Amino acid sequence: MAQNGGTIYLSPPHMGQLEQQYVAEAFATNWIAPLGPHVDAFERELAERVGVKSAVALSSGTAAIHLALRLIGVGAGDTVFCSALTFVASAAPILYQGATPVFIDSEPATWNMSPQALERALEEAARSGRLPKAVVVVNLYGQSADMDPIMDLCARYGVPIVEDAAESLGATYKGKASGTFGVYGIYSFNGNKIITTSGGGMLVTNDTKAAEKARFWATQARDPAPHYEHSEYGYNYRMSNVLAAIGRGQLSVLDDRVRARRRVFERYAAHFAGRPGIAFMPEAPFGSATRWLTALTIDPDVCGVDALQCVRELAQHRIEARPVWKPMQLQPLFRGYAYYPHSEGESVSEKLFASGLCLPSGSNLSEEEQDRVIEVLERCLNKVVIS
Ligand SMILES: Cc1ncc(COP(=O)(O)O)c(C=O)c1O
């Protein structure tokens, strides 16, 4: 949906019918904060939806990753493997825990964690007697990673998985909900996600005791006592009742939102697929992606224009597009940490960063707005090819 005078955003919020009703309920009962019945209901409904025993509503997806790592016992001196091609929030909590990240490249078929790179990294770690304490696997742009080989490898070495499904709520892998394969999974309800609470996240697990511990840490680790008693440190990480009210309304339209995003992708693909130099992020046959963002690569040698030039050109027409995530091993923050490419001499994440483009993909993007995006991108590609 165009906002603020015609700007087309990458992935704006899209409210449904029920959110205001639930929020009004929270106001009418003065159950604004800290927790409340909407939080409990949102946790229950999300857990049911994805098929897990427990869900913990939190202030962000980042908080959920942080709690998952602490539940696993990640601490100073540990290493944690993490997908390289992702948003910084997948990896930053490794630093919060004083641990050392090691980055694992993508594979071309899914753009997600490369099982062959993971295998090399685990073999080396086992040889040196420094197995990682956890592996953070990211499901990029709404598509699950190829979990079977990743889980087999992690099981072989006894390493737990944290599944960062911030971008993949509503996607499936072999018929099962994305985000439910790791010991812990996390979702994000940040403003740009497929459903949003304006800001928030969820930790999911089948370990109900661990979920209770996460709730305890997320509410400042208050020991049961009439006064304030603390024997551990915690965080202020819980979701408020008002935001959970929004989340419940949003969850009720999740399937519509997934369908709409897939439709947006299909219209882009119908227009540009097959064009020399353009390739869309593939959808692996093992599951159904949400196409949270439509992502494609542009080969500048063929198209005469690169992804960044397209981002700039689209911005001039008030259309927000973005390059693909800059891989973690290229971030100044993570300089010097180990990185395992897909194969020797082939860094898939770096190639995707150099050529990747994410197009406006909101579930409320109108066909007219999408036509505007297509037209500007089309002109951008043609202009430079001709000149
Ligand atoms: C892959 C990934 N992981 C983690 C996060 C963090 O989620 P949040 O913004 O809710 O903290 C995001 C998005 O923001 C993300 O895209």
Side-chain angles (χ1 to χ4, degrees):
M1 183 175 65
Q3 295 169 323
N4 299 348
T7 299
I8 296 177
Y9 288 102
L10 187 71
S11 183
H14 183 184
M15 291 296 114
Q17 305 290 320
L18 282 174
E19 291 82 344
Q20 279 191 332
Q21 184 189 316
Y22 286 142
V23 170
E25 230 172 82
F27 273 68
T29 52
N30 202 29
W31 222 322
I32 306 301
L35 292 160
H38 284 304
V39 174
D40 298 340
F42 188 31
E43 290 182 344
R44 209 173 43 242
E45 287 161 6
L46 187 121
E48 259 170 41
R49 161 74 208 220
V50 300
V52 292
K53 285 192 184 145
S54 294
V56 183
L58 298 164
S59 54
S60 70
T62 313
I65 298 171
H66 186 198
L67 290 174
L69 295 179
R70 188 165 165 197
L71 283 165
I72 288 169
V74 171
D78 290 328
T79 56
V80 175
F81 290 2
C82 182
S83 300
L85 188 61
T86 186
F87 179 53
V88 68
S90 308
I94 301 168
L95 300 182
Y96 302 172
Q97 287 301 100
T100 302
V102 169
F103 296 109
I104 312 294
D105 198 12
S106 301
E107 58 168 354
T110 64
W111 294 18
N112 282 312
M113 186 179 277
S114 157
Q116 68 184 56
L118 176 64
E119 184 165 23
R120 283 204 324 279
L122 283 169
E123 275 168 10
E124 249 179 58
R127 268 201 305 276
S128 65
R130 277 204 80 200
L131 278 172
K133 198 82 182 216
V135 177
V136 179
V137 180
V138 179
N139 303 313
L140 209 64
Y141 299 133
Q143 168 158 260
S144 175
D146 192 359
M147 293 309 292
D148 276 352
I150 291 172
M151 289 197 306
D152 285 351
L153 282 166
C154 288
R156 191 187 307 163
Y157 291 97
V159 183
I161 292 174
V162 175
E163 204 187 344
D164 179 349
E167 303 174 3
S168 67
L169 177 61
T172 58
Y173 177 77
K174 300 190 177 171
K176 198 174 159 210
S178 179
T180 62
F181 290 84
V183 178
Y184 300 103
I186 77 96
Y187 301 109
S188 166
F189 310 116
N190 183 28
N192 65 4
K193 293 300 181 291
I194 194 149
I195 60 170
T196 181
T197 56
S198 77
M202 197 76 84
L203 175 73
V204 295
T205 182
N206 284 315
D207 183 341
T208 45
K209 260 201 172 146
E212 261 324 300
K213 189 76 184 185
R215 288 191 186 95
F216 171 72
W217 282 334
T219 43
Q220 302 288 19
R222 286 162 61 177
D223 292 338
H227 54 272
Y228 289 92
E229 179 87 2
H230 303 273
S231 42
E232 291 181 64
Y233 68 87
Y235 318 90
N236 185 3
Y237 272 176
R238 274 299 240 165
M239 180 182 280
S240 83
N241 200 48
V242 173
L243 299 195
I246 301 174
R248 291 184 70 198
Q250 287 274 279
L251 189 60
S252 73
V253 291
L254 175 61
D255 290 332
D256 291 342
R257 300 299 182 258
V258 171
R259 271 193 295 274
R261 296 223 180 216
R262 287 187 64 92
R263 250 194 328 269
V264 166
F265 161 76
E266 279 153 19
R267 285 190 88 238
Y268 282 130
H271 191 88
F272 292 107
R275 195 187 168 111
I278 303 280
F280 285 85
M281 180 183 184
E283 184 169 9
F286 54 56
S288 177
T290 63
R291 296 289 182 182
W292 169 58
L293 294 185
T294 290
L296 64 148
T297 56
I298 296 178
D299 181 343
D301 295 335
V302 178
C303 298
V305 63
D306 65 22
L308 208 52
Q309 285 171 297
C310 292
V311 170
R312 290 199 184 106
E313 184 74 21
L314 287 158
Q316 290 205 338
H317 291 82
R318 290 188 299 164
I319 295 167
E320 187 189 23
R322 288 277 170 86
V324 158
W325 297 126
K326 181 173 181 177
M328 295 301 106
Q329 74 276 11
L330 300 181
Q331 298 289 352
L333 173 64
F334 295 119
R335 197 170 289 140
Y337 292 110
Y339 166 62
Y340 287 84
H342 177 59
S343 56
E344 298 305 335
E346 191 192 9
S347 176
V348 173
S349 57
E350 290 174 24
K351 262 202 226 156
L352 290 171
F353 172 57
S355 60
L357 174 69
C358 298
L359 293 174
S361 304
S363 47
N364 46 7
L365 183 76
S366 70
E367 291 198 351
E368 293 70 37
E369 287 165 341
Q370 192 175 5
D371 289 342
R372 221 175 98 200
V373 179
I374 290 170
E375 189 192 320
V376 174
L377 185 58
E378 183 68 52
R379 262 189 302 176
C380 179
L381 293 167
N382 287 331
K383 184 167 74 188
V384 187
V385 170
I386 292 160
S387 62

